[in-house]
Amino acid sequence: MLYLVAAVGATGGGRSPAAVATADDRLGAAAEVAEQQGGDGADFTSFGTTNVRLHEAEVLLRLDDAWAAVEAGRRVTPTALACLGRERRARHLVTTARALALTRQRDDAAAALVEAEHLAPEEVRRPAVVAVVQDLLLLVPSPSLELRSLAERCGLRA
């Protein structure tokens, strides 16, 4: 888990060759440990290959590589996601939605946010996520009823 925290921490100063190299190194080290450990949570922690992949998507997004973040998120299987807690699944959906919005897959982004809200509404009420919802309202030509309803629940005018 420390490798994963270090990978995210490496992105704190924004994208630079050093940040990318450090984050990649820490994610690689975490992946090695996860592979040696065996199955996800084999030692009754939340650490494992799924958690490494979730962090990879977050790190890539933080390093301004939204396309790679979308691809990393898609490598997490539905079966692996189903084994996670609702809050963790919702956070991954929020990360995915942010990456999808940046890659102009706005309807998919809105659907991911609606699904995240069903899992853990408190994750979608965070100011950074509300900002994504607001951006989607402005950028989606015809916002769906679900997106407009989500926006209203976030305190936005839809």
Side-chain angles (χ1 to χ4, degrees):
M1 289 299 290
L2 290 175
Y3 285 126
L4 297 176
V5 172
V8 172
T11 67
R15 186 179 181 88
S16 70
V20 171
T22 300
D24 188 52
D25 179 63
R26 300 305 182 267
L27 286 171
E32 279 183 40
V33 172
E35 193 171 305
Q36 291 170 1
Q37 174 182 289
D40 284 331
D43 60 357
F44 300 102
T45 67
S46 294
F47 181 76
T49 55
T50 300
N51 206 7
V52 172
R53 288 188 177 132
L54 296 176
H55 278 79
E56 178 186 15
E58 177 69 24
V59 164
L60 288 165
L61 183 60
R62 291 172 62 101
L63 290 173
D64 298 325
D65 196 344
W67 286 104
V70 168
E71 290 305 312
R74 288 183 176 147
R75 286 194 294 271
V76 181
T77 67
T79 303
L81 278 175
C83 294
L84 300 174
R86 296 170 68 85
E87 181 180 289
R88 188 63 184 110
R89 284 184 287 166
R91 278 192 308 233
H92 176 63
L93 285 165
V94 166
T95 297
T96 300
R98 290 173 43 222
L100 289 165
L102 289 170
T103 58
R104 296 187 179 116
Q105 299 172 66
R106 295 176 181 128
D107 290 332
D108 291 340
L113 288 173
V114 169
E115 185 178 347
E117 185 192 33
H118 288 300
L119 290 170
E122 66 280 359
E123 291 299 318
V124 180
R125 303 300 187 271
R126 296 174 189 266
V129 181
V130 172
V132 174
V133 173
Q134 187 170 29
D135 288 345
L136 287 172
L137 277 177
L138 296 172
L139 296 171
V140 173
S142 299
S144 68
L145 175 61
E146 292 84 9
L147 178 59
R148 290 192 319 269
S149 296
L150 172 63
E152 288 174 3
R153 290 189 298 276
C154 288
L156 301 171
R157 289 185 61 209

